[in-house]
Amino acid sequence: GNSVTQMEGPVTLSEEAFLTINCTYTATGYPSLFWYVQYPGEGLQLLLKATKADDKGSNKGFEATYRKETTSFHLEKGSVQVSDSAVYFCALTGGGNKLTFGTGTQLKVEL
Amino acid sequence: DSGVTQTPKHLITATGQRVTLRCSPRSGDLSVYWYQQSLDQGLQFLIQYYNGEERAKGNILERFSAQQFPDLHSELNLSSLELGDSALYFCASSVEPLVKSDTQYFGPGTRLTVL
């Protein structure tokens, strides 16, 4: 079946540091890939998505590229802010509409 | 604000009881999904409805049931509640689930605590 593996957290960074959160997946066919973010006490918000190989999703300074050869969709941001502190979930849809999520990676950004 | 609403925000109840969670999708969305978020299981897909009909089922217990009404709102019914059912329950909606790029938008969730 489909699965998503994310790097374990928490990830603690200083403000303006570079962020990478690794995500790899297993799926049949050609899934769509997503990053969702969950701020404390809130629901899930779509951060970005990519629907085919080599697509780059981007939003609010975050980027992720759909790499079929390495089955990866790593999340990056050049300069994080304290307000980026949240839990980030990598997810995919494939062979149906349900989202399969990774375990989530908590990001803490300090001044 | 995603446009998906869920009520109530919090629910505290006792073991053995039955509760109903409600979800209103974004305007124009025909598909509704239910997910459970717990510390031990993470985010798990429960069930999907499309225009009133069940479309897909995930790891949903037999004690749980759902439906989507003609006005497209959905309810998730949880019965014979156990301590392990304590979790955050999310509803999501989307426009056209048959399209590969279709995106699900999530509500704020209902936090269920079973004592």
Side-chain angles (χ1 to χ4, degrees):
Chain A
N2 297 338
S3 67
V4 175
T5 302
Q6 283 182 243
M7 63 188 289
E8 289 197 19
V11 173
T12 303
L13 296 173
S14 298
E15 204 171 40
E16 299 184 2
F18 184 86
L19 168 71
T20 300
I21 300 178
N22 290 337
C23 170
T24 57
Y25 67 90
T26 302
T28 53
Y30 301 91
S32 291
L33 302 174
F34 303 83
W35 277 100
Y36 282 86
V37 59
Q38 186 175 27
Y39 296 101
E42 296 186 15
L44 294 163
Q45 297 178 26
L46 176 68
L47 184 58
L48 53 83
K49 71 178 186 183
T51 58
K52 60 183 189 296
D54 300 325
D55 264 4
K56 178 186 280 190
S58 60
N59 186 26
K60 299 180 182 179
F62 291 89
E63 293 183 341
T65 301
Y66 189 140
R67 301 283 188 204
K68 188 159 178 63
E69 64 277 11
T70 54
T71 61
S72 65
F73 193 54
H74 305 320
L75 183 67
E76 297 182 336
K77 186 175 186 185
S79 175
V80 293
Q81 306 299 312
V82 171
S83 57
D84 293 326
S85 298
V87 180
Y88 292 81
F89 291 91
C90 185
L92 65 82
T93 55
N97 305 118
K98 68 171 189 175
L99 279 163
T100 299
F101 286 92
T103 52
T105 302
Q106 184 176 13
L107 171 65
K108 297 180 181 178
V109 181
E110 301 172 335
L111 289 170
Chain B
D1 185 352
S2 67
V4 179
T5 60
Q6 289 188 247
T7 56
K9 193 165 185 178
H10 301 280
L11 202 47
I12 301 174
T13 188
T15 54
Q17 295 299 303
R18 173 189 169 93
V19 296
T20 297
L21 313 183
R22 184 188 167 102
C23 167
S24 293
R26 294 188 319 158
S27 177
D29 285 359
L30 298 179
S31 199
V32 168
Y33 308 77
W34 286 96
Y35 292 85
Q36 179 194 59
Q37 185 179 32
S38 62
L39 283 174
D40 53 346
Q41 300 282 340
L43 268 161
Q44 300 268 320
F45 167 72
L46 295 178
I47 197 163
Q48 178 202 0
Y49 280 81
Y50 179 71
N51 206 19
E53 295 194 4
E54 184 183 302
R55 174 65 67 87
K57 233 173 183 178
N59 300 323
I60 188 166
L61 300 171
E62 284 192 15
R63 301 183 285 108
F64 296 1
S65 64
Q67 53 184 324
Q68 186 179 27
F69 295 86
D71 67 352
L72 300 177
H73 91 271
S74 177
E75 293 181 356
L76 179 67
N77 300 295
L78 315 177
S79 61
S80 304
L81 285 167
E82 302 175 358
L83 296 178
D85 298 328
S86 296
L88 197 49
Y89 290 85
F90 286 111
C91 169
S93 73
S94 72
V95 173
E96 178 44 80
L98 296 179
V99 173
K100 187 170 180 267
S101 59
D102 188 51
T103 298
Q104 294 177 34
Y105 294 90
F106 282 74
T110 293
R111 182 168 295 282
L112 173 66
T113 303
V114 182
L115 301 175

Coordinates of all heavy atoms in Angstrom, one line a residue, chain A residues 24-73:
Chain A
T24 N 10.0 10.9 1.9 CA 10.0 9.9 0.9 C 8.7 9.2 0.9 O 8.0 9.1 1.9 CB 11.2 9.0 1.0 OG1 11.1 8.3 2.3 CG2 12.5 9.7 0.9
Y25 N 8.4 8.6 -0.3 CA 7.1 7.9 -0.3 C 7.2 6.6 -1.1 O 8.2 6.4 -1.8 CB 6.1 8.8 -1.0 CG 6.4 9.1 -2.5 CD1 5.9 8.2 -3.5 CD2 7.2 10.2 -2.9 CE1 6.2 8.4 -4.8 CE2 7.5 10.4 -4.2 CZ 7.0 9.5 -5.2 OH 7.3 9.7 -6.5
T26 N 6.2 5.8 -0.9 CA 6.0 4.5 -1.6 C 4.6 4.5 -2.1 O 3.6 4.7 -1.3 CB 6.2 3.3 -0.7 OG1 7.5 3.3 -0.2 CG2 6.0 2.0 -1.5
A27 N 4.4 4.4 -3.4 CA 3.1 4.4 -4.0 C 3.1 3.7 -5.4 O 4.1 3.7 -6.0 CB 2.6 5.8 -4.1
T28 N 2.0 3.2 -5.7 CA 1.9 2.7 -7.1 C 1.4 3.8 -8.0 O 0.7 4.7 -7.6 CB 0.9 1.5 -7.1 OG1 -0.4 1.9 -6.5 CG2 1.4 0.3 -6.3
G29 N 1.8 3.7 -9.2 CA 1.3 4.7 -10.2 C 2.0 6.1 -9.9 O 3.1 6.2 -9.5
Y30 N 1.2 7.1 -10.2 CA 1.8 8.5 -10.1 C 0.9 9.3 -9.1 O 0.0 10.0 -9.5 CB 1.7 9.1 -11.5 CG 2.5 8.3 -12.5 CD1 1.9 7.3 -13.2 CD2 3.9 8.5 -12.7 CE1 2.6 6.5 -14.1 CE2 4.6 7.8 -13.6 CZ 4.0 6.8 -14.3 OH 4.7 6.0 -15.2
P31 N 1.3 9.3 -7.9 CA 0.6 10.0 -6.9 C 0.7 11.5 -7.0 O 1.7 12.0 -7.6 CB 1.2 9.6 -5.5 CG 2.6 9.2 -5.9 CD 2.5 8.7 -7.3
S32 N -0.2 12.3 -6.4 CA 0.0 13.7 -6.1 C 0.6 13.8 -4.7 O 0.3 13.1 -3.8 CB -1.4 14.4 -6.2 OG -1.9 14.4 -7.5
L33 N 1.4 14.8 -4.6 CA 2.2 15.0 -3.3 C 1.8 16.4 -2.7 O 1.6 17.3 -3.4 CB 3.7 14.9 -3.5 CG 4.1 13.6 -4.2 CD1 5.6 13.6 -4.5 CD2 3.9 12.4 -3.2
F34 N 1.7 16.4 -1.4 CA 1.3 17.6 -0.6 C 2.2 17.8 0.6 O 2.7 16.8 1.2 CB -0.1 17.4 -0.2 CG -1.1 17.1 -1.3 CD1 -1.3 15.8 -1.7 CD2 -1.9 18.1 -1.8 CE1 -2.2 15.5 -2.7 CE2 -2.8 17.9 -2.8 CZ -3.0 16.6 -3.3
W35 N 2.3 19.0 1.0 CA 2.7 19.4 2.3 C 1.6 20.2 3.0 O 1.1 21.2 2.4 CB 4.0 20.3 2.3 CG 5.3 19.4 2.1 CD1 6.0 19.2 1.0 CD2 5.9 18.7 3.2 NE1 7.1 18.4 1.3 CE2 7.1 18.1 2.6 CE3 5.7 18.6 4.6 CZ2 8.0 17.3 3.4 CZ3 6.6 17.8 5.3 CH2 7.7 17.2 4.7
Y36 N 1.2 19.7 4.2 CA 0.3 20.4 5.0 C 1.0 20.9 6.3 O 2.0 20.3 6.7 CB -0.9 19.5 5.4 CG -1.9 19.3 4.4 CD1 -1.8 18.3 3.4 CD2 -3.1 20.1 4.3 CE1 -2.8 18.1 2.4 CE2 -4.1 19.9 3.4 CZ -3.9 18.9 2.4 OH -4.9 18.7 1.5
V37 N 0.5 22.0 6.8 CA 1.1 22.6 8.1 C 0.0 22.7 9.1 O -1.2 23.0 8.8 CB 1.8 23.9 7.8 CG1 0.8 25.0 7.2 CG2 2.4 24.5 9.1
Q38 N 0.4 22.4 10.3 CA -0.6 22.5 11.5 C 0.0 23.4 12.5 O 1.0 23.0 13.2 CB -0.9 21.1 12.0 CG -2.0 21.1 13.1 CD -2.3 19.7 13.6 OE1 -1.5 18.7 13.5 NE2 -3.6 19.5 14.0
Y39 N -0.5 24.6 12.7 CA -0.1 25.5 13.8 C -0.7 25.0 15.1 O -1.8 24.4 15.1 CB -0.4 26.9 13.4 CG 0.3 27.4 12.2 CD1 -0.4 27.5 10.9 CD2 1.6 27.8 12.2 CE1 0.3 27.9 9.8 CE2 2.3 28.2 11.1 CZ 1.6 28.2 9.9 OH 2.3 28.6 8.7
P40 N -0.1 25.4 16.2 CA -0.6 24.9 17.5 C -2.1 25.3 17.7 O -2.5 26.4 17.5 CB 0.2 25.7 18.5 CG 1.5 26.0 17.7 CD 1.1 26.2 16.3
G41 N -2.9 24.2 18.0 CA -4.3 24.4 18.3 C -5.2 24.6 17.1 O -6.4 24.9 17.2
E42 N -4.6 24.4 15.9 CA -5.4 24.7 14.7 C -5.5 23.4 13.8 O -4.9 22.4 14.1 CB -4.7 25.8 13.9 CG -4.8 27.1 14.6 CD -4.2 28.3 13.7 OE1 -4.1 28.1 12.5 OE2 -3.9 29.3 14.3
G43 N -6.2 23.5 12.7 CA -6.4 22.4 11.8 C -5.3 22.4 10.8 O -4.3 23.1 10.9
L44 N -5.4 21.5 9.8 CA -4.4 21.4 8.8 C -4.6 22.4 7.6 O -5.7 22.6 7.2 CB -4.4 20.0 8.2 CG -4.1 18.9 9.1 CD1 -4.5 17.6 8.5 CD2 -2.6 18.8 9.3
Q45 N -3.5 23.1 7.2 CA -3.6 24.0 6.1 C -2.7 23.5 5.0 O -1.6 23.1 5.2 CB -3.1 25.4 6.5 CG -3.9 26.1 7.6 CD -3.3 27.4 8.0 OE1 -2.6 28.1 7.2 NE2 -3.5 27.8 9.2
L46 N -3.2 23.6 3.8 CA -2.4 23.2 2.6 C -1.3 24.2 2.5 O -1.5 25.4 2.4 CB -3.2 23.1 1.4 CG -2.4 22.8 0.1 CD1 -1.9 21.4 0.1 CD2 -3.3 23.1 -1.1
L47 N 0.0 23.7 2.4 CA 1.1 24.6 2.2 C 1.5 24.6 0.7 O 1.6 25.7 0.1 CB 2.3 24.1 3.0 CG 3.6 25.0 3.0 CD1 3.3 26.4 3.5 CD2 4.6 24.3 3.9
L48 N 1.6 23.5 0.1 CA 2.0 23.4 -1.3 C 1.7 22.0 -1.8 O 1.5 21.1 -1.0 CB 3.4 23.8 -1.6 CG 4.5 23.1 -0.8 CD1 4.9 21.8 -1.5 CD2 5.7 24.0 -0.7
K49 N 1.7 21.9 -3.2 CA 1.4 20.6 -3.8 C 2.1 20.4 -5.1 O 2.5 21.5 -5.7 CB -0.1 20.3 -3.9 CG -0.7 21.2 -5.0 CD -2.2 20.8 -5.2 CE -2.8 21.5 -6.3 NZ -4.3 21.3 -6.5
A50 N 2.3 19.2 -5.6 CA 2.8 18.9 -6.9 C 2.1 17.7 -7.4 O 1.9 16.7 -6.6 CB 4.3 18.7 -6.8
T51 N 1.8 17.7 -8.7 CA 1.0 16.6 -9.2 C 1.7 15.7 -10.2 O 1.2 14.6 -10.6 CB -0.3 17.1 -9.8 OG1 0.0 18.0 -10.9 CG2 -1.2 17.8 -8.8
K52 N 2.9 16.1 -10.6 CA 3.6 15.2 -11.5 C 5.1 15.4 -11.4 O 5.6 16.4 -10.8 CB 3.2 15.4 -13.0 CG 3.5 16.8 -13.5 CD 3.0 16.9 -15.0 CE 3.4 18.2 -15.6 NZ 2.8 19.3 -15.0
A53 N 5.8 14.4 -11.9 CA 7.3 14.4 -11.7 C 7.9 15.7 -12.2 O 7.5 16.2 -13.2 CB 7.9 13.2 -12.4
D54 N 8.9 16.2 -11.4 CA 9.7 17.4 -11.7 C 8.9 18.7 -11.4 O 9.4 19.8 -11.6 CB 10.2 17.4 -13.1 CG 11.2 16.2 -13.3 OD1 11.9 15.8 -12.4 OD2 11.2 15.7 -14.4
D55 N 7.6 18.6 -11.0 CA 6.9 19.8 -10.6 C 7.5 20.3 -9.4 O 7.9 19.6 -8.5 CB 5.4 19.4 -10.3 CG 4.5 19.6 -11.5 OD1 5.0 20.0 -12.6 OD2 3.3 19.4 -11.4
K56 N 7.5 21.6 -9.2 CA 7.9 22.3 -8.0 C 6.7 23.0 -7.4 O 6.1 23.9 -8.1 CB 9.0 23.2 -8.2 CG 9.5 24.0 -7.0 CD 10.5 25.0 -7.3 CE 11.9 24.4 -7.4 NZ 12.9 25.5 -7.5
G57 N 6.3 22.7 -6.2 CA 5.3 23.4 -5.5 C 6.0 24.5 -4.6 O 7.0 24.3 -4.1
S58 N 5.3 25.7 -4.5 CA 5.9 26.7 -3.7 C 4.8 27.6 -3.1 O 3.8 27.8 -3.7 CB 6.9 27.6 -4.5 OG 6.2 28.2 -5.6
N59 N 5.1 28.1 -1.9 CA 4.2 29.0 -1.2 C 4.8 29.6 0.0 O 5.5 28.8 0.7 CB 2.9 28.2 -0.8 CG 1.8 29.1 -0.2 OD1 1.7 30.2 -0.5 ND2 1.0 28.5 0.6
K60 N 4.7 30.8 0.2 CA 5.2 31.5 1.4 C 6.7 31.3 1.6 O 7.1 31.2 2.8 CB 4.4 31.0 2.7 CG 2.9 31.3 2.6 CD 2.3 30.8 3.9 CE 0.8 31.1 3.9 NZ 0.1 30.6 5.1
G61 N 7.5 31.1 0.6 CA 8.9 30.9 0.7 C 9.3 29.5 0.8 O 10.5 29.1 0.8
F62 N 8.3 28.6 1.0 CA 8.6 27.1 1.0 C 8.5 26.6 -0.4 O 7.8 27.0 -1.2 CB 7.5 26.4 1.9 CG 7.6 26.7 3.4 CD1 6.9 27.8 3.9 CD2 8.3 25.9 4.2 CE1 6.9 28.1 5.3 CE2 8.4 26.2 5.6 CZ 7.7 27.3 6.1
E63 N 9.4 25.5 -0.6 CA 9.4 24.9 -1.9 C 9.6 23.4 -1.7 O 10.2 22.9 -0.7 CB 10.6 25.3 -2.7 CG 10.5 26.8 -3.2 CD 11.7 27.1 -4.0 OE1 12.8 26.4 -4.0 OE2 11.7 28.1 -4.8
A64 N 9.1 22.6 -2.7 CA 9.3 21.2 -2.7 C 9.2 20.7 -4.1 O 8.3 21.1 -4.8 CB 8.3 20.4 -1.8
T65 N 10.1 19.8 -4.5 CA 10.1 19.3 -5.9 C 9.8 17.8 -5.9 O 10.4 17.0 -5.1 CB 11.5 19.5 -6.6 OG1 11.8 20.9 -6.5 CG2 11.5 19.0 -8.0
Y66 N 8.9 17.4 -6.8 CA 8.5 16.0 -6.9 C 9.6 15.3 -7.7 O 9.8 15.5 -8.9 CB 7.2 16.1 -7.8 CG 6.4 14.8 -7.9 CD1 5.0 14.8 -7.8 CD2 7.0 13.6 -8.2 CE1 4.2 13.7 -8.0 CE2 6.3 12.4 -8.3 CZ 4.9 12.5 -8.3 OH 4.1 11.3 -8.4
R67 N 10.3 14.4 -7.0 CA 11.4 13.7 -7.6 C 11.0 12.2 -7.7 O 11.0 11.5 -6.7 CB 12.7 13.8 -6.7 CG 13.2 15.2 -6.5 CD 13.9 15.7 -7.7 NE 14.5 17.0 -7.5 CZ 14.8 17.9 -8.4 NH1 14.5 17.6 -9.7 NH2 15.4 19.0 -8.1
K68 N 10.6 11.8 -8.9 CA 10.1 10.4 -9.0 C 11.3 9.4 -8.9 O 11.1 8.3 -8.4 CB 9.4 10.2 -10.4 CG 8.7 8.9 -10.5 CD 7.7 8.9 -11.6 CE 7.0 7.6 -11.7 NZ 6.4 7.1 -10.4
E69 N 12.5 9.8 -9.4 CA 13.6 8.9 -9.4 C 14.1 8.5 -8.0 O 14.6 7.4 -7.8 CB 14.8 9.4 -10.2 CG 15.4 10.7 -9.7 CD 14.6 12.0 -10.1 OE1 13.5 11.9 -10.6 OE2 15.2 13.1 -9.8
T70 N 13.9 9.4 -7.1 CA 14.2 9.2 -5.7 C 13.0 9.0 -4.8 O 13.2 8.9 -3.5 CB 15.1 10.3 -5.1 OG1 14.5 11.5 -5.3 CG2 16.5 10.3 -5.8
T71 N 11.8 9.0 -5.3 CA 10.5 9.0 -4.6 C 10.6 9.9 -3.4 O 10.3 9.5 -2.3 CB 10.1 7.6 -4.2 OG1 11.1 7.0 -3.3 CG2 10.0 6.7 -5.4
S72 N 10.9 11.2 -3.7 CA 11.0 12.2 -2.6 C 10.3 13.4 -2.9 O 10.0 13.8 -4.0 CB 12.5 12.4 -2.3 OG 13.1 13.1 -3.4
F73 N 10.0 14.2 -1.8 CA 9.3 15.5 -1.9 C 9.8 16.3 -0.7 O 9.0 16.6 0.2 CB 7.8 15.2 -1.9 CG 7.0 16.4 -2.3 CD1 7.2 17.1 -3.5 CD2 5.9 16.8 -1.5 CE1 6.4 18.2 -3.9 CE2 5.1 17.9 -1.9 CZ 5.4 18.6 -3.1

